[in-house]
Amino acid sequence: MTGHTFDIIIPTFHPGEEFAGLLSMIRKQTALPEKIILMETLSGDDTLQDFPGCECYPVKKEDFDHAATRRLGVSHSDAEAFIMMTDDAIPADEFMCENLMKALYSDEKVATAYGRQLPREDCREAEKFTRSFNYPEESSVKDIGDLPRLGIKTYFASNVCCAYKRNIWDKAGGFTERAVFNEDMIYSHTVMEAGYSVAYAADARCIHSHNYGAAAQFRRNFDLGASQAMHPEVFGGIRSEGEGIRLVKSTAGHLIKVGKWYQIPGFFVVSAARYMGYRLGKKYDKLPKAAVLRCALNRDFFR
């Protein structure tokens, strides 16, 4: 229905119960992919699983890389476009792919379009607010001219649910060769520097959220900070702490407004862990290797 062919590419690692729901909802879409390509991360004695109707390709756990694994997935696609997803995100309705592709082809200058993430029913209140903070109800299009106004959020996109034009992808060289995190934002920077734009499609909705504790947030943000330190050409001149502080203040205000002020102490603990992980990650190259491996989420990457 979009007039353009597309594939869906999903890295998987021991997918949970929601994965069956993801595949089921993909097959109910008003715009259907040519192929569903699964990059299956295997560890130990794992064997390649058979998911009917999908093309499955193995990746050793020690070889998994946020950028390289997805690049490999793209090499198996011949479509005009492709949609990146994660194995724990579920389309909220049957129009997700159609609306994502409409946003992608709304203008010849749009290189990529990412969708809106909605919280799960069991999501904590702070995380629900974070979803609405990062994924508002209004669609938009960003380019390099928005950098003074939006700062680091100019490059924001998410491979949880994100569509790419293949011809621009090939011209831009695709994702960076290796990335522990932020491969989507690094790509946004690349295409924006070349004069293209990134669309946010608020009507392309998927359900995706986590209830991470302080330790998990510390490790995720360590990898986040390290990925920014590894790419100073993208993040070197932009401070992201300001956006984080704005989110913390807004979330605390929201918890008071909805009468859940008692959740604020726990939220502050998690926020402090995120900030400490991020700051340490920014200095990963100055830390002993053993310390990096203790702090990192994707330890195989740093090995």
Side-chain angles (χ1 to χ4, degrees):
M1 293 181 65
T2 66
H4 298 276
T5 61
F6 68 96
D7 294 328
I8 295 181
I9 301 169
I10 311 172
T12 67
F13 181 60
H14 296 170
E17 295 179 0
E18 65 272 7
F19 189 58
L22 165 58
L23 294 180
S24 175
M25 282 302 298
I26 286 177
R27 291 169 180 138
K28 294 177 182 177
Q29 295 294 297
T30 54
L32 293 171
E34 299 288 303
K35 295 189 292 187
I36 302 173
I37 299 169
L38 305 183
M39 306 303 296
E40 287 197 61
T41 304
L42 309 178
S43 62
D45 297 326
D46 287 349
T47 56
L48 199 65
Q49 298 185 63
D50 180 29
F51 293 98
C54 302
E55 291 187 6
C56 305
Y57 300 94
V59 178
K60 291 181 180 179
K61 184 176 182 293
E62 59 268 26
D63 294 334
F64 174 82
D65 179 285
H66 275 262
T69 300
R70 288 180 168 89
R71 284 176 65 97
L72 187 59
V74 175
S75 72
H76 298 295
S77 172
D78 298 316
E80 296 172 89
F82 53 88
I83 295 175
M84 291 287 174
M85 293 193 72
T86 55
D87 64 10
D88 59 349
I90 302 175
D93 55 41
E94 66 270 31
F95 304 107
M96 186 199 78
C97 289
E98 180 181 348
N99 291 336
L100 203 56
M101 292 294 289
K102 282 181 178 178
L104 184 65
Y105 285 96
S106 61
D107 188 277
E108 63 180 10
K109 284 294 185 181
V110 174
T112 180
Y114 66 101
R116 184 182 181 191
Q117 296 182 34
L118 303 175
R120 301 182 190 280
E121 290 184 1
D122 65 349
C123 187
R124 288 194 291 257
E125 189 64 35
E127 181 66 13
K128 287 181 182 178
F129 182 79
T130 298
R131 284 290 175 268
S132 64
F133 185 90
N134 288 326
Y135 302 95
E137 296 180 355
E138 303 80 21
S139 298
S140 61
V141 178
K142 304 175 290 185
D143 59 33
I144 199 69
D146 291 307
L147 198 54
R149 178 174 64 92
L150 296 177
I152 196 168
K153 292 203 79 170
T154 304
Y155 303 137
F156 181 73
S158 175
N159 272 337
V160 165
C161 176
C162 195
Y164 297 81
K165 286 177 182 170
R166 181 62 186 268
N167 62 330
I168 298 178
W169 162 277
D170 289 338
K171 189 185 302 183
F175 293 141
T176 182
E177 292 288 342
R178 297 185 73 238
V180 67
F181 225 77
N182 276 334
E183 77 288 342
D184 35 28
M185 291 182 68
I186 296 167
Y187 181 79
S188 294
H189 169 268
T190 300
V191 294
M192 284 184 179
E193 287 288 323
Y196 295 103
S197 56
V198 172
Y200 165 59
D203 56 356
R205 304 178 308 150
C206 70
I207 300 170
H208 179 260
S209 63
H210 296 286
N211 286 322
Y212 289 134
Q217 289 287 17
F218 176 90
R219 289 188 168 88
R220 285 178 60 83
N221 279 266
F222 181 89
D223 287 8
L224 174 65
S227 72
Q228 292 190 9
M230 292 173 188
H231 292 277
E233 76 283 1
V234 180
F235 304 103
I238 307 174
R239 286 181 58 84
S240 59
E241 288 91 336
E243 186 67 16
I245 292 171
R246 190 166 75 90
L247 174 58
V248 169
K249 289 181 177 179
S250 298
T251 304
H254 171 76
L255 291 174
I256 293 172
K257 182 178 179 181
V258 299
K260 295 187 176 181
W261 52 268
Y262 53 88
Q263 295 183 8
I264 291 178
F267 168 67
F268 280 165
V269 170
V270 171
S271 297
R274 293 177 65 170
Y275 181 71
M276 288 188 292
Y278 172 77
R279 293 304 303 171
L280 275 175
K282 294 277 280 188
K283 301 179 183 300
Y284 82 97
D285 55 341
K286 298 178 177 62
L287 299 175
K289 185 69 170 289
V292 171
L293 294 179
R294 285 180 65 87
C295 292
L297 177 66
N298 188 352
R299 296 173 182 175
D300 288 321
F301 180 92
F302 291 97
R303 287 194 182 100

